[in-house]
Amino acid sequence: MIKLLYICIGVYLSITFIIFGMDYYHYLLERYGRFHIGRFRDEEDWEKRVIKKSVKWLKKEPTVKLTDNNRYIILDMMTKKYRNSTVQSWQKGALLLGLQKYGSKYKKEIQKCINMLIDENGEFINTPTNIDCGFLAYAILKNSESLDVEPAMTFASNLIINNMGTDGMIHYTNDKESTECYVDTIGLAIPFLVAYAETYHAPEIKKIALKQLKLFTQYGLDKGSLLPNHAFDSRSKLPLGVFGWGRGCAWYVIGLMDSYLELKEDNECEWIRKQIQIIAEEYRKYQREDGGFGYIFQMRYGYDSSATAVMAYFYKKCYDIFEKEIYYDIYIKCLKKLMEVTKINGALDWCQGDTKAIGTFSQTFGIMPFAQGMMIRSFEEK
């Protein structure tokens, strides 16, 4: 009887040690991982460490948590509330897009990563189920010979188009009857659809993609500030959520910029070009004094590296297109802020975590491979 009691106590203590040990491990990782943050000798050294860390993450990117919970983490893992492949897909996609410009140098690592995603028949090894796959598909297409991955690209395109409801909008959730039109869709899916249409000569796909941009611009932006809402209702045309969410603004400008860069000869080029310049001028005033952008643009506190990294990319491309020095100045200020919040191991920190629902945003800030990849996309060619 006493022996059984000792066994029960031992099992209880072991389980307790594992549960609290996991929590404490993550606590130490977050707290002490920030020692010496931002202490880089120069910009070149910083960029090298950022790229080195990103190449390492191609093999296995860190998890972006689904919850803000910092206790009983192991229980979240066991119940699959800690990580999912949908969120991780656009983390991997951003890393691939960021490292694309260094393709010749890291060709082997990039190809290994793609081989883990696409089989010898050009199809996805793990079949996507959500439109988030558009961002990863876009990155794969940009890093591959188009014919080698055409089956997977067609699958991703069909998956996204099949989420289009009777209102003509592609819905973020797998529900055609939904009337909620998310800004996330603009960044996650539209550039891929445009690139797919241009690569595989599918004008009807391009027409659908550009329609999403125009409708969200018409109904999803605040008329005065031009800040996007998290979503809008396609039936009532009323906004849903919060205007000015930082990563929502990022999704919108990614949709605009990358779609424009993918378009070849098209009548819509001029409309997107004008919209890019209007947005670039309007969003200038939301850059903070420290060079960053907030998780809510119009608030002067609550910094977010994921929004700042995308804005660095956006304004660098704006400078390339319009050749206005003010855009380059904004870009450089973004980079300086991003350098200040990069860990000594090259991981960009202070990124807002995963969004929970319309208007319900994470209150945890840490590393996010998506932001890391977008930051690399902004780096100037050496």
Side-chain angles (χ1 to χ4, degrees):
M1 188 70 179
I2 294 176
K3 185 177 181 181
L4 179 61
L5 180 62
Y6 284 156
I7 291 172
C8 291
I9 292 173
V11 170
Y12 173 78
L13 291 175
S14 298
I15 293 172
T16 301
F17 177 78
I18 291 170
I19 291 174
F20 288 101
M22 180 68 75
D23 292 351
Y24 192 59
Y25 168 74
H26 281 85
Y27 166 76
L28 292 176
L29 209 61
E30 180 177 331
R31 180 177 177 82
Y32 295 104
R34 285 176 174 158
F35 274 22
H36 306 298
I37 190 170
R39 297 185 185 181
F40 293 94
R41 293 188 296 274
D42 54 49
E43 189 175 310
E44 187 174 349
D45 176 51
W46 169 61
E47 289 188 11
K48 284 180 179 178
R49 295 202 196 189
V50 165
I51 293 166
K52 183 179 179 181
K53 175 59 73 174
S54 301
V55 171
K56 183 179 179 180
W57 281 351
L58 276 184
K59 298 177 184 176
K60 183 174 175 58
E61 74 283 355
T63 296
V64 174
K65 294 192 307 176
L66 299 180
T67 72
D68 285 359
N69 183 29
N70 290 316
R71 294 184 179 182
Y72 312 119
I73 291 174
I74 197 167
L75 298 181
D76 285 339
M77 292 178 174
M78 292 171 64
T79 55
K80 298 183 178 180
K81 294 178 181 178
Y82 185 75
R83 168 190 173 107
N84 75 21
S85 58
T86 297
V87 174
Q88 294 302 129
S89 69
W90 44 275
Q91 310 303 318
K92 182 84 77 178
L95 290 174
L96 283 169
L97 285 172
L99 292 169
Q100 180 194 355
K101 68 172 71 173
Y102 306 101
S104 57
K105 188 173 182 180
Y106 300 110
K107 186 175 181 179
K108 183 179 178 182
E109 290 84 353
I110 290 172
Q111 192 56 53
K112 268 189 178 181
C113 178
I114 291 175
N115 289 344
M116 293 169 62
L117 301 166
I118 305 292
D119 65 21
E120 62 276 9
N121 297 316
E123 298 177 340
F124 282 109
I125 292 174
N126 296 309
T127 306
T129 57
N130 295 79
I131 72 162
D132 299 62
C133 74
F135 205 75
L136 179 59
Y138 181 48
I140 292 170
L141 183 57
K142 300 291 287 182
N143 279 284
S144 306
E145 294 294 331
S146 59
L147 292 177
D148 295 342
V149 295
E150 185 172 359
M153 299 301 100
T154 300
F155 180 90
S157 175
N158 289 339
L159 188 155
I160 295 168
I161 296 300
N162 286 339
N163 271 287
M164 186 167 65
T166 55
D167 55 8
M169 292 296 291
I170 295 169
H171 296 288
Y172 184 63
T173 57
N174 293 335
D175 180 7
K176 288 186 178 182
E177 301 306 313
S178 171
T179 59
E180 297 169 351
C181 303
Y182 287 71
V183 69
D184 309 54
T185 305
I186 302 302
L188 285 167
I190 305 311
F192 165 65
L193 291 181
V194 174
Y196 177 88
E198 294 287 357
T199 302
Y200 300 110
H201 311 293
E204 69 285 354
I205 299 293
K206 180 165 64 175
K207 186 177 179 181
I208 290 171
L210 296 177
K211 180 180 180 181
Q212 310 304 304
L213 272 178
K214 285 194 168 184
L215 285 177
F216 196 92
T217 298
Q218 183 176 359
Y219 298 114
L221 304 189
D222 176 62
K223 303 305 179 186
S225 66
L226 299 185
L227 291 172
N229 206 303
H230 195 167
F232 75 90
D233 187 288
S234 62
R235 185 180 298 131
S236 67
K237 305 298 187 293
L238 292 175
L240 302 171
V242 177
F243 284 109
W245 168 46
R247 201 155 60 242
C249 297
W251 288 133
Y252 182 66
V253 301
I254 287 172
L256 282 176
M257 183 59 73
D258 284 354
S259 296
Y260 175 75
L261 295 175
E262 290 302 328
L263 284 170
K264 298 189 171 54
E265 294 299 323
D266 193 285
N267 294 332
E268 300 292 351
C269 275
E270 191 56 32
W271 176 83
I272 300 181
R273 181 188 172 92
K274 285 180 180 177
Q275 186 64 18
I276 287 172
Q277 189 163 30
I278 289 169
I279 292 298
E281 287 296 313
E282 193 63 32
Y283 289 6
R284 282 169 45 187
K285 63 188 176 191
Y286 299 114
Q287 187 172 38
R288 296 152 36 117
E289 289 183 9
D290 63 4
F293 286 82
Y295 73 83
I296 300 294
F297 266 27
Q298 60 270 37
M299 289 171 20
R300 288 300 177 187
Y301 54 89
Y303 166 77
D304 175 25
S305 286
S306 69
T308 304
V310 173
M311 287 300 149
Y313 167 71
F314 177 68
Y315 277 103
K316 175 58 171 62
K317 291 299 180 184
C318 285
Y319 171 71
D320 293 341
I321 295 168
F322 303 110
E323 299 182 343
K324 290 184 67 172
E325 287 297 326
I326 185 63
Y327 297 155
Y328 191 78
D329 292 341
I330 293 169
Y331 159 65
I332 291 299
K333 286 179 68 178
C334 284
L335 285 191
K336 287 180 178 177
K337 177 59 180 178
L338 292 169
M339 189 188 298
E340 291 174 4
V341 291
T342 302
K343 293 181 179 181
I344 200 68
N345 64 2
L348 179 63
D349 203 348
W350 293 107
C351 304
Q352 188 179 39
D354 184 49
T355 307
K356 315 310 173 194
I358 290 179
T360 306
F361 306 117
S362 175
Q363 294 303 303
T364 61
F365 292 79
I367 57 176
M368 175 176 273
F370 164 76
Q372 187 101 356
M374 293 305 300
M375 178 170 65
I376 294 174
R377 293 184 83 188
S378 78
F379 289 168
E380 295 190 86
E381 298 285 355
K382 297 293 191 246

